[in-house]
Amino acid sequence: MYQFNYRKASSLEHAADLQANAEDGVYLAGGMTLIPTLKQRLAAPSDVIDVGGLDGLRGIDVGATVRVGALTAHAEVAASAEVRGAIPALSDLAEGIGDAHVRNRGTIGGSVANSDPAADYPAAVVGLGATVHTDRRSIVGDDFFTDLFETALDEGEIITSVEFPVPAQAAYAKFPNPASRYAIVGVMVAEVDDAVRVGVTGAGPCAFRSAELEAALAGGLSVSALDGVSVSSGDLNSDLHASAEYRAHLVVVMARRAVAQLT
Amino acid sequence: MAENGTGIGAAVKRKEDMRFITGAGRYTDDIDQAGQACAVFLRSPHARATIGGIDTGAALQVPGVVAVYTGADLAADGIGDLPCGWLVKSKDGSDMIQPPHPPLAVERVNYVGEPYGLVIADSLQAARDGAEAVVADFDDLPAVVGVATADQADQLHESVPNNQCYDWELGDKVATDAAFANADHVASLDIVNNRLIPNAMEPRAAVGDYDAASGVYTLHTTSQNPHLERLVLAAFVQVAPESRLRVVSPDVGGGFGSKIFVYAEETAVIWAAGKLRRAVKWRAERSESFLADAHGRDHVTKAELALSSDGTFLGLRVKTIANMGAYLSTFASSVPTYLYGTLMAGQYKTPAIYVEVRAMFTNTAPVDAYRGAGRPEATYVVERLVETAARDLSMDLAEIRRRNFIQPEDFPYATPVALTYDTGDYEASLDKALRHIDYQGFGARRAASEANGNRRGIGFSSYIEACGLAPSQVALSLGAGVGLFESAEVRVNVTGSVTVITGSHSHGQGHETTFAQVVSDRLGIPLDDVEVVHGDTARSDYGLGTYGSRSIAVGGSALIRATDKIIAKGKKIVAHNFETTEDNIDFTDGIFAEHESNRSMAFAEVAFAAYVPANFPLDELEPGLSEKAFYDPGNFTYPAGTHICEVEIDGETGVPTIAAFVAVDDFGHVINPMIVEGQVHGGLCQGIGQALLEHGVYDDAGQLVTGSYMDYCMPRADDVPSFTVDTTVTPCTHNPLGVKGCGEAGAIGATAAVMNAVTDALGVKSLPMPATPETVWKALGSAG
């Protein structure tokens, strides 16, 4: 780690103020990505602004929608009976993130803000059509992830909550990287407001909706609707663990397995 | 042998585990010396480069930095190269070529992560800042990465033409060629044995200290054999004479071979401590472990088995290219030769065998012994080839093995590749394994898998290993630079408790329990009265440490010799007390008793008498009760067994899952079956890891792609099934406990069984390891 100034924010306004006055400030929520990065000296921020104490950003509110405070840990989402009642697919997804330590420390806001191409939550954000609320505005899930580790967030903007519509039905299927257990491919299939949505993580530079799969499933969520369907590997990731071709194949297989959970 | 209680054969819970699981262990990194400074190593970012110059000026200005040393500083102080301890000769009789291996690179670097300097500072933070301020002027050169073509590539070391360390052979070429000429069938395979990175739970660490008053250097380090470390640092590297150099290996969290070797880091740290007259500490970060621990395996092999039409093996021909990495690590040369070629007979009466091994240098981390060390590679060749032959000839997997097994009446059996097996019953293990796996039911299970759109395969591995390293005479005649005996000392304390000092070293194996069981059993005293001390050159005379499944077979035998001397001395003391002669005294269950009388003395009474020597005839009987023994075995031991693996492959994703794994091993007599089962489980995980998960990958530029757990896939509990582990017993014929050793068997046997099962499921002849989901998925496509 390099030396940095540790700042503890007492309110959203305070956090924004600290950020505005820092030479090169970063927000710290659960720290699941930031802390390892700092430890390896891969980042050298002037200020680490800890928003972890902002209790107003914590908690789950289930009503017509499921609203998850940005600082809510994955384990809280996984353990919530209300979430499971409304969107079981979201409970399943949260339960499968990382390991117990990560689930207890990691937060939904941190995960989404990072736009890690292999993170799970982004599949839910685009797959369920969530809205990302910030201290400045609300961003439609479809517009939120823009590229590898890039989002629609402006400099210093803080996520306050992620709000999911309650789908008629939804399921998540993940193919984990054998080494890291991140998603090589994760697919959220959902029926929301009479429309089928398919959110894909792990496969591309950031989470995206698969037009091919949504078209195939438009007539109804059945496994057979995916027979013979393929997705293009053109824009997909390729690495030691999975080529773009294999990822393209897995996107369809995981979609099929998600649909199979529903039928 | 006792099934209950605490003696030999009892599943006693490990004495050491309470401190390990409650965080009370004392590892090297837990040791802090007064005034200690911290060291950070400067490591090459290039796979191959010349060093134009190293500017340390800015680093020395960093607050807290005490010193920056480079290879030139060590050389100026007369610090020698890191030697390789085993001389292998080429076919033409010439010695292997050992290129210079300075602890810190001087003029050039040859792998990513190679240390070329170290920064020492008051704090770790300052040392890191200092390391970043060092400016080294590297002139990058193209890297030599692929071992198969290394002889065609740029020459890495001035003294090594074609990058070839040696070109070695074993066996009878003429007889083997003749066997192939007369064969009905030849099964052949091209095999790549993938590079593995050891990943002990505890990274390597060293704390060097120098006492200016006595001139004594003390090195605490994560070594599997502290005496060897001291010997090399004293005799070759020339830090200090052995009498003024103490090496301590406290609790060590796993080694798997990677901590046998003498590395640059502890060498530089102990030297720097003397230079600065100040304690210096270094602990590897996990990234450094990936880059700079010696790696394992990494062979490219062509293997052929000649058979008659009825499946009888006639001859075996093996041609291997072994990757040594950039330099020769401490025992690197012996691994693909004397621990590999000599095992090619396996469990079979193959009459003619010829093995050729070329060892090559590349711009990768040095490769040396890793759990099994040569024997997993040999087993992989033999057992993959046997199964290939069975498929070629449409023979049953068990039947082809039975037809060729060395039979119990054939022992002692001299193989065509220099070993003489003392005993074994290979069919007994095979039969037991077949029952456990329900071999008869496999067809139905395969049909059920296929009905679900999946594939299922079964694979065997009937492995053998030469363990209990080693008879010194044999090892020395084959080029070893050190003897391979073991020492033990049994100190009976005044009130009858016993301190056992062994030259073996436990880094997870459970010596403190197993060795205590042996002594408790032999001396008839409670287990809790026996304390086992190891890992400190100041406390034991000499020792050769723990590797090659040698602790119980060699160290345990030394222990028996020492306890026998204690008993003999005790008899003398009792005879003196009873005014009789020692041949009238028996010793059973901790009681010395006179024949045909009711007079006896308990062990503790004899101990007390030894140290309160009233009226001893001092010319004939010395006071005290403490004995030492050095044991050198007459032969290797030969654990063997059959592992059977059943794999199911997801027809859509290619994911292979181990549905069942049976390991039936013959370790001879077993001291603690619970510990042995644990050793088997751990070994199997590593063997399965090699087959399905683990792979050390360098890119074309020589950068390590798998440099963290994000990409290097360590086996986890949910990657392996609930194992079925069983044993058969043919006691070793030449050591007093009849033991063979169990530490490596799992890693030696498992890999071939898994890959035989995977290739069987896929209906393909071969598949590269690890059989990752994508690799399998592609094979599913190509196999139709």
Short mmCIF file of all heavy atoms in Angstrom, two decimals, chain A residues 36-93:
data_model
loop_
_atom_site.label_atom_id
_atom_site.label_comp_id
_atom_site.label_asym_id
_atom_site.label_seq_id
_atom_site.Cartn_x
_atom_site.Cartn_y
_atom_site.Cartn_z
N PRO A 36 -7.65 -4.92 -2.06
CA PRO A 36 -6.59 -5.69 -2.71
C PRO A 36 -5.79 -4.87 -3.72
O PRO A 36 -4.58 -5.05 -3.86
CB PRO A 36 -7.34 -6.84 -3.42
CG PRO A 36 -8.66 -6.92 -2.73
CD PRO A 36 -8.97 -5.55 -2.20
N THR A 37 -6.47 -3.96 -4.40
CA THR A 37 -5.77 -3.13 -5.38
C THR A 37 -4.76 -2.23 -4.68
O THR A 37 -3.63 -2.06 -5.14
CB THR A 37 -6.80 -2.27 -6.16
OG1 THR A 37 -7.81 -3.14 -6.67
CG2 THR A 37 -6.15 -1.53 -7.30
N LEU A 38 -5.18 -1.65 -3.56
CA LEU A 38 -4.27 -0.80 -2.79
C LEU A 38 -3.10 -1.61 -2.24
O LEU A 38 -1.94 -1.19 -2.29
CB LEU A 38 -5.02 -0.14 -1.62
CG LEU A 38 -6.08 0.91 -1.97
CD1 LEU A 38 -6.81 1.36 -0.71
CD2 LEU A 38 -5.44 2.12 -2.67
N LYS A 39 -3.42 -2.81 -1.72
CA LYS A 39 -2.37 -3.62 -1.12
C LYS A 39 -1.29 -3.98 -2.13
O LYS A 39 -0.12 -4.08 -1.79
CB LYS A 39 -2.96 -4.91 -0.51
CG LYS A 39 -3.65 -4.65 0.82
CD LYS A 39 -4.39 -5.88 1.32
CE LYS A 39 -3.46 -6.93 1.86
NZ LYS A 39 -4.22 -8.04 2.48
N GLN A 40 -1.70 -4.17 -3.35
CA GLN A 40 -0.72 -4.52 -4.39
C GLN A 40 -0.07 -3.30 -5.02
O GLN A 40 0.66 -3.42 -5.99
CB GLN A 40 -1.39 -5.37 -5.47
CG GLN A 40 -1.79 -6.74 -4.99
CD GLN A 40 -2.46 -7.54 -6.08
OE1 GLN A 40 -1.80 -8.01 -7.00
NE2 GLN A 40 -3.76 -7.68 -6.01
N ARG A 41 -0.35 -2.15 -4.46
CA ARG A 41 0.20 -0.89 -4.98
C ARG A 41 -0.18 -0.66 -6.43
O ARG A 41 0.60 -0.09 -7.21
CB ARG A 41 1.73 -0.86 -4.81
CG ARG A 41 2.17 -0.80 -3.35
CD ARG A 41 3.65 -0.54 -3.20
NE ARG A 41 3.95 0.00 -1.85
CZ ARG A 41 5.04 0.68 -1.55
NH1 ARG A 41 5.96 0.92 -2.47
NH2 ARG A 41 5.23 1.13 -0.32
N LEU A 42 -1.36 -1.13 -6.80
CA LEU A 42 -1.83 -0.92 -8.16
C LEU A 42 -2.63 0.37 -8.27
O LEU A 42 -3.02 0.78 -9.36
CB LEU A 42 -2.68 -2.11 -8.63
CG LEU A 42 -1.90 -3.42 -8.76
CD1 LEU A 42 -2.84 -4.59 -9.05
CD2 LEU A 42 -0.83 -3.31 -9.84
N ALA A 43 -2.92 0.99 -7.14
CA ALA A 43 -3.59 2.28 -7.13
C ALA A 43 -2.93 3.13 -6.06
O ALA A 43 -2.46 2.61 -5.05
CB ALA A 43 -5.08 2.11 -6.83
N ALA A 44 -2.89 4.44 -6.32
CA ALA A 44 -2.24 5.35 -5.38
C ALA A 44 -3.12 6.59 -5.18
O ALA A 44 -2.73 7.71 -5.53
CB ALA A 44 -0.85 5.73 -5.88
N PRO A 45 -4.32 6.40 -4.62
CA PRO A 45 -5.19 7.57 -4.42
C PRO A 45 -4.62 8.48 -3.32
O PRO A 45 -3.92 8.01 -2.43
CB PRO A 45 -6.51 6.95 -3.97
CG PRO A 45 -6.12 5.65 -3.34
CD PRO A 45 -4.91 5.16 -4.08
N SER A 46 -4.93 9.77 -3.43
CA SER A 46 -4.50 10.68 -2.36
C SER A 46 -5.39 10.50 -1.13
O SER A 46 -4.93 10.60 -0.01
CB SER A 46 -4.59 12.12 -2.85
OG SER A 46 -5.94 12.46 -3.14
N ASP A 47 -6.67 10.22 -1.38
CA ASP A 47 -7.64 10.12 -0.30
C ASP A 47 -8.53 8.89 -0.49
O ASP A 47 -9.01 8.66 -1.61
CB ASP A 47 -8.55 11.35 -0.25
CG ASP A 47 -7.78 12.61 0.11
OD1 ASP A 47 -6.99 13.07 -0.75
OD2 ASP A 47 -7.95 13.09 1.24
N VAL A 48 -8.73 8.14 0.57
CA VAL A 48 -9.73 7.08 0.56
C VAL A 48 -10.89 7.57 1.41
O VAL A 48 -10.72 7.83 2.61
CB VAL A 48 -9.15 5.76 1.10
CG1 VAL A 48 -10.26 4.73 1.31
CG2 VAL A 48 -8.09 5.21 0.15
N ILE A 49 -12.04 7.74 0.78
CA ILE A 49 -13.19 8.32 1.46
C ILE A 49 -14.15 7.20 1.82
O ILE A 49 -14.78 6.59 0.95
CB ILE A 49 -13.86 9.37 0.54
CG1 ILE A 49 -12.83 10.45 0.20
CG2 ILE A 49 -15.10 9.95 1.20
CD1 ILE A 49 -13.14 11.19 -1.08
N ASP A 50 -14.20 6.89 3.09
CA ASP A 50 -14.97 5.74 3.56
C ASP A 50 -16.43 6.13 3.71
O ASP A 50 -16.78 6.95 4.57
CB ASP A 50 -14.37 5.29 4.91
CG ASP A 50 -15.02 4.01 5.42
OD1 ASP A 50 -15.99 3.53 4.79
OD2 ASP A 50 -14.55 3.50 6.45
N VAL A 51 -17.28 5.58 2.86
CA VAL A 51 -18.72 5.86 2.96
C VAL A 51 -19.44 4.75 3.74
O VAL A 51 -20.66 4.76 3.86
CB VAL A 51 -19.36 6.02 1.55
CG1 VAL A 51 -18.75 7.21 0.83
CG2 VAL A 51 -19.20 4.75 0.73
N GLY A 52 -18.67 3.81 4.28
CA GLY A 52 -19.24 2.64 4.95
C GLY A 52 -20.10 2.98 6.14
O GLY A 52 -20.93 2.16 6.57
N GLY A 53 -19.93 4.15 6.70
CA GLY A 53 -20.70 4.51 7.89
C GLY A 53 -22.03 5.19 7.59
O GLY A 53 -22.75 5.59 8.51
N LEU A 54 -22.34 5.34 6.33
CA LEU A 54 -23.58 6.04 5.97
C LEU A 54 -24.76 5.07 6.06
O LEU A 54 -25.16 4.45 5.08
CB LEU A 54 -23.46 6.65 4.57
CG LEU A 54 -22.26 7.58 4.36
CD1 LEU A 54 -22.27 8.16 2.95
CD2 LEU A 54 -22.26 8.70 5.40
N ASP A 55 -25.30 4.94 7.24
CA ASP A 55 -26.31 3.90 7.47
C ASP A 55 -27.57 4.09 6.63
O ASP A 55 -28.30 3.12 6.39
CB ASP A 55 -26.67 3.85 8.96
CG ASP A 55 -25.52 3.28 9.78
OD1 ASP A 55 -24.68 2.56 9.18
OD2 ASP A 55 -25.45 3.57 10.99
N GLY A 56 -27.80 5.31 6.17
CA GLY A 56 -28.96 5.54 5.32
C GLY A 56 -28.87 4.80 3.99
O GLY A 56 -29.88 4.61 3.30
N LEU A 57 -27.67 4.36 3.64
CA LEU A 57 -27.49 3.64 2.37
C LEU A 57 -27.60 2.13 2.56
O LEU A 57 -27.27 1.36 1.67
CB LEU A 57 -26.13 3.98 1.75
CG LEU A 57 -25.82 5.45 1.50
CD1 LEU A 57 -24.54 5.59 0.68
CD2 LEU A 57 -26.97 6.14 0.79
N ARG A 58 -28.01 1.71 3.75
CA ARG A 58 -28.03 0.30 4.06
C ARG A 58 -29.48 -0.16 4.18
O ARG A 58 -30.32 0.60 4.63
CB ARG A 58 -27.32 0.08 5.40
CG ARG A 58 -26.71 -1.27 5.63
CD ARG A 58 -25.96 -1.29 6.98
NE ARG A 58 -24.81 -0.40 7.00
CZ ARG A 58 -23.61 -0.71 6.53
NH1 ARG A 58 -23.39 -1.89 6.01
NH2 ARG A 58 -22.62 0.15 6.58
N GLY A 59 -29.77 -1.37 3.79
CA GLY A 59 -31.10 -1.91 4.05
C GLY A 59 -31.86 -2.27 2.78
O GLY A 59 -31.48 -1.90 1.67
N ILE A 60 -32.89 -3.04 2.99
CA ILE A 60 -33.67 -3.59 1.87
C ILE A 60 -35.13 -3.17 2.08
O ILE A 60 -35.67 -3.31 3.17
CB ILE A 60 -33.56 -5.13 1.86
CG1 ILE A 60 -32.09 -5.56 1.65
CG2 ILE A 60 -34.47 -5.72 0.79
CD1 ILE A 60 -31.83 -7.01 1.95
N ASP A 61 -35.73 -2.69 1.03
CA ASP A 61 -37.11 -2.25 1.12
C ASP A 61 -37.90 -2.97 0.02
O ASP A 61 -37.68 -2.72 -1.17
CB ASP A 61 -37.15 -0.73 0.94
CG ASP A 61 -38.56 -0.18 1.12
OD1 ASP A 61 -39.42 -0.94 1.60
OD2 ASP A 61 -38.77 0.99 0.77
N VAL A 62 -38.77 -3.87 0.44
CA VAL A 62 -39.53 -4.65 -0.54
C VAL A 62 -40.98 -4.18 -0.55
O VAL A 62 -41.66 -4.21 0.48
CB VAL A 62 -39.45 -6.16 -0.22
CG1 VAL A 62 -40.32 -6.95 -1.21
CG2 VAL A 62 -38.02 -6.64 -0.28
N GLY A 63 -41.41 -3.73 -1.68
CA GLY A 63 -42.81 -3.33 -1.86
C GLY A 63 -43.21 -3.66 -3.28
O GLY A 63 -43.09 -4.82 -3.70
N ALA A 64 -43.63 -2.65 -4.01
CA ALA A 64 -43.92 -2.86 -5.43
C ALA A 64 -42.63 -3.18 -6.17
O ALA A 64 -42.63 -3.83 -7.21
CB ALA A 64 -44.56 -1.62 -6.02
N THR A 65 -41.51 -2.72 -5.62
CA THR A 65 -40.19 -3.03 -6.17
C THR A 65 -39.32 -3.54 -5.01
O THR A 65 -39.73 -3.50 -3.85
CB THR A 65 -39.51 -1.78 -6.76
OG1 THR A 65 -39.31 -0.84 -5.69
CG2 THR A 65 -40.35 -1.16 -7.86
N VAL A 66 -38.13 -4.00 -5.37
CA VAL A 66 -37.14 -4.38 -4.34
C VAL A 66 -36.03 -3.35 -4.42
O VAL A 66 -35.33 -3.25 -5.44
CB VAL A 66 -36.60 -5.80 -4.57
CG1 VAL A 66 -35.44 -6.09 -3.60
CG2 VAL A 66 -37.70 -6.82 -4.39
N ARG A 67 -35.93 -2.57 -3.35
CA ARG A 67 -34.93 -1.51 -3.35
C ARG A 67 -33.84 -1.90 -2.36
O ARG A 67 -34.11 -2.12 -1.17
CB ARG A 67 -35.58 -0.20 -2.95
CG ARG A 67 -34.72 1.01 -3.18
CD ARG A 67 -35.58 2.27 -2.97
NE ARG A 67 -34.78 3.46 -3.13
CZ ARG A 67 -35.12 4.51 -3.87
NH1 ARG A 67 -36.29 4.51 -4.51
NH2 ARG A 67 -34.34 5.56 -3.97
N VAL A 68 -32.63 -2.03 -2.85
CA VAL A 68 -31.51 -2.48 -2.02
C VAL A 68 -30.55 -1.32 -1.84
O VAL A 68 -30.03 -0.77 -2.83
CB VAL A 68 -30.77 -3.68 -2.67
CG1 VAL A 68 -29.65 -4.17 -1.76
CG2 VAL A 68 -31.75 -4.81 -2.96
N GLY A 69 -30.35 -0.90 -0.58
CA GLY A 69 -29.43 0.19 -0.29
C GLY A 69 -28.03 -0.14 -0.78
O GLY A 69 -27.59 -1.30 -0.74
N ALA A 70 -27.31 0.87 -1.22
CA ALA A 70 -26.01 0.64 -1.87
C ALA A 70 -25.01 -0.08 -0.96
O ALA A 70 -24.16 -0.82 -1.43
CB ALA A 70 -25.42 1.97 -2.33
N LEU A 71 -25.13 0.15 0.34
CA LEU A 71 -24.15 -0.46 1.25
C LEU A 71 -24.60 -1.82 1.78
O LEU A 71 -23.97 -2.38 2.67
CB LEU A 71 -23.88 0.48 2.44
CG LEU A 71 -23.04 1.72 2.12
CD1 LEU A 71 -22.92 2.60 3.35
CD2 LEU A 71 -21.65 1.31 1.63
N THR A 72 -25.69 -2.34 1.26
CA THR A 72 -26.19 -3.63 1.73
C THR A 72 -25.25 -4.75 1.27
O THR A 72 -24.91 -4.84 0.08
CB THR A 72 -27.60 -3.88 1.18
OG1 THR A 72 -28.40 -2.72 1.47
CG2 THR A 72 -28.22 -5.10 1.82
N ALA A 73 -24.84 -5.57 2.22
CA ALA A 73 -23.92 -6.67 1.88
C ALA A 73 -24.65 -7.77 1.12
O ALA A 73 -25.87 -7.97 1.31
CB ALA A 73 -23.30 -7.23 3.16
N HIS A 74 -23.90 -8.49 0.30
CA HIS A 74 -24.49 -9.59 -0.48
C HIS A 74 -25.16 -10.60 0.44
O HIS A 74 -26.21 -11.16 0.12
CB HIS A 74 -23.41 -10.31 -1.31
CG HIS A 74 -22.51 -9.38 -2.05
ND1 HIS A 74 -22.94 -8.19 -2.60
CD2 HIS A 74 -21.18 -9.45 -2.33
CE1 HIS A 74 -21.92 -7.58 -3.20
NE2 HIS A 74 -20.84 -8.32 -3.03
N ALA A 75 -24.56 -10.84 1.59
CA ALA A 75 -25.11 -11.84 2.51
C ALA A 75 -26.48 -11.41 3.03
O ALA A 75 -27.36 -12.25 3.26
CB ALA A 75 -24.15 -12.06 3.69
N GLU A 76 -26.67 -10.10 3.21
CA GLU A 76 -27.97 -9.61 3.67
C GLU A 76 -29.03 -9.85 2.60
O GLU A 76 -30.16 -10.22 2.90
CB GLU A 76 -27.90 -8.12 4.00
CG GLU A 76 -27.01 -7.79 5.19
CD GLU A 76 -26.83 -6.28 5.34
OE1 GLU A 76 -27.82 -5.59 5.62
OE2 GLU A 76 -25.69 -5.80 5.14
N VAL A 77 -28.67 -9.61 1.35
CA VAL A 77 -29.62 -9.84 0.26
C VAL A 77 -29.94 -11.34 0.18
O VAL A 77 -31.11 -11.74 0.06
CB VAL A 77 -29.05 -9.33 -1.08
CG1 VAL A 77 -29.97 -9.71 -2.24
CG2 VAL A 77 -28.83 -7.82 -1.02
N ALA A 78 -28.88 -12.15 0.30
CA ALA A 78 -29.07 -13.60 0.19
C ALA A 78 -29.96 -14.12 1.31
O ALA A 78 -30.74 -15.05 1.12
CB ALA A 78 -27.72 -14.32 0.21
N ALA A 79 -29.86 -13.51 2.49
CA ALA A 79 -30.57 -14.03 3.65
C ALA A 79 -31.97 -13.44 3.80
O ALA A 79 -32.75 -13.90 4.64
CB ALA A 79 -29.75 -13.74 4.92
N SER A 80 -32.29 -12.45 3.02
CA SER A 80 -33.56 -11.75 3.20
C SER A 80 -34.74 -12.60 2.71
O SER A 80 -34.85 -12.92 1.52
CB SER A 80 -33.54 -10.42 2.43
OG SER A 80 -34.85 -9.94 2.29
N ALA A 81 -35.65 -12.90 3.62
CA ALA A 81 -36.85 -13.67 3.25
C ALA A 81 -37.72 -12.84 2.32
O ALA A 81 -38.37 -13.37 1.41
CB ALA A 81 -37.62 -14.07 4.49
N GLU A 82 -37.72 -11.53 2.51
CA GLU A 82 -38.56 -10.67 1.66
C GLU A 82 -38.04 -10.67 0.23
O GLU A 82 -38.81 -10.71 -0.72
CB GLU A 82 -38.55 -9.24 2.22
CG GLU A 82 -39.42 -9.08 3.44
CD GLU A 82 -39.47 -7.61 3.85
OE1 GLU A 82 -38.41 -7.10 4.26
OE2 GLU A 82 -40.54 -7.00 3.73
N VAL A 83 -36.71 -10.59 0.08
CA VAL A 83 -36.15 -10.63 -1.27
C VAL A 83 -36.48 -11.97 -1.91
O VAL A 83 -36.91 -12.05 -3.07
CB VAL A 83 -34.63 -10.39 -1.26
CG1 VAL A 83 -34.04 -10.63 -2.65
CG2 VAL A 83 -34.31 -8.99 -0.78
N ARG A 84 -36.31 -13.03 -1.13
CA ARG A 84 -36.58 -14.36 -1.70
C ARG A 84 -38.04 -14.48 -2.11
O ARG A 84 -38.36 -15.10 -3.13
CB ARG A 84 -36.19 -15.47 -0.72
CG ARG A 84 -36.36 -16.87 -1.30
CD ARG A 84 -35.52 -17.94 -0.62
NE ARG A 84 -34.09 -17.84 -0.85
CZ ARG A 84 -33.46 -18.19 -1.97
NH1 ARG A 84 -34.13 -18.69 -2.99
NH2 ARG A 84 -32.17 -18.05 -2.08
N GLY A 85 -38.92 -13.87 -1.34
CA GLY A 85 -40.34 -13.92 -1.70
C GLY A 85 -40.63 -13.16 -2.98
O GLY A 85 -41.46 -13.58 -3.79
N ALA A 86 -39.93 -12.06 -3.19
CA ALA A 86 -40.24 -11.22 -4.34
C ALA A 86 -39.45 -11.64 -5.59
O ALA A 86 -40.00 -11.78 -6.67
CB ALA A 86 -39.92 -9.76 -4.00
N ILE A 87 -38.13 -11.78 -5.42
CA ILE A 87 -37.27 -12.13 -6.57
C ILE A 87 -36.29 -13.22 -6.15
O ILE A 87 -35.13 -12.96 -5.82
CB ILE A 87 -36.45 -10.91 -7.08
CG1 ILE A 87 -37.28 -9.62 -7.10
CG2 ILE A 87 -35.87 -11.20 -8.46
CD1 ILE A 87 -36.50 -8.39 -7.54
N PRO A 88 -36.74 -14.47 -6.13
CA PRO A 88 -35.83 -15.53 -5.69
C PRO A 88 -34.53 -15.58 -6.50
O PRO A 88 -33.47 -15.94 -5.96
CB PRO A 88 -36.64 -16.82 -5.85
CG PRO A 88 -37.92 -16.44 -6.55
CD PRO A 88 -38.09 -14.97 -6.42
N ALA A 89 -34.60 -15.18 -7.76
CA ALA A 89 -33.39 -15.21 -8.59
C ALA A 89 -32.33 -14.28 -8.04
O ALA A 89 -31.12 -14.55 -8.14
CB ALA A 89 -33.73 -14.82 -10.03
N LEU A 90 -32.76 -13.17 -7.44
CA LEU A 90 -31.80 -12.22 -6.89
C LEU A 90 -31.15 -12.79 -5.63
O LEU A 90 -29.95 -12.61 -5.40
CB LEU A 90 -32.52 -10.89 -6.57
CG LEU A 90 -31.63 -9.70 -6.22
CD1 LEU A 90 -30.71 -9.35 -7.38
CD2 LEU A 90 -32.48 -8.49 -5.84
N SER A 91 -31.95 -13.52 -4.83
CA SER A 91 -31.38 -14.20 -3.66
C SER A 91 -30.35 -15.22 -4.10
O SER A 91 -29.26 -15.31 -3.52
CB SER A 91 -32.48 -14.93 -2.88
OG SER A 91 -33.55 -14.09 -2.62
N ASP A 92 -30.71 -16.01 -5.10
CA ASP A 92 -29.78 -17.04 -5.60
C ASP A 92 -28.48 -16.41 -6.08
O ASP A 92 -27.39 -16.90 -5.80
CB ASP A 92 -30.41 -17.83 -6.75
CG ASP A 92 -31.61 -18.65 -6.31
OD1 ASP A 92 -31.76 -18.86 -5.08
OD2 ASP A 92 -32.39 -19.07 -7.18
N LEU A 93 -28.62 -15.33 -6.82
CA LEU A 93 -27.44 -14.66 -7.37
C LEU A 93 -26.55 -14.17 -6.23
O LEU A 93 -25.34 -14.43 -6.23
CB LEU A 93 -27.88 -13.49 -8.26
CG LEU A 93 -26.79 -12.63 -8.90
CD1 LEU A 93 -27.27 -12.11 -10.25
CD2 LEU A 93 -26.38 -11.46 -8.01
#
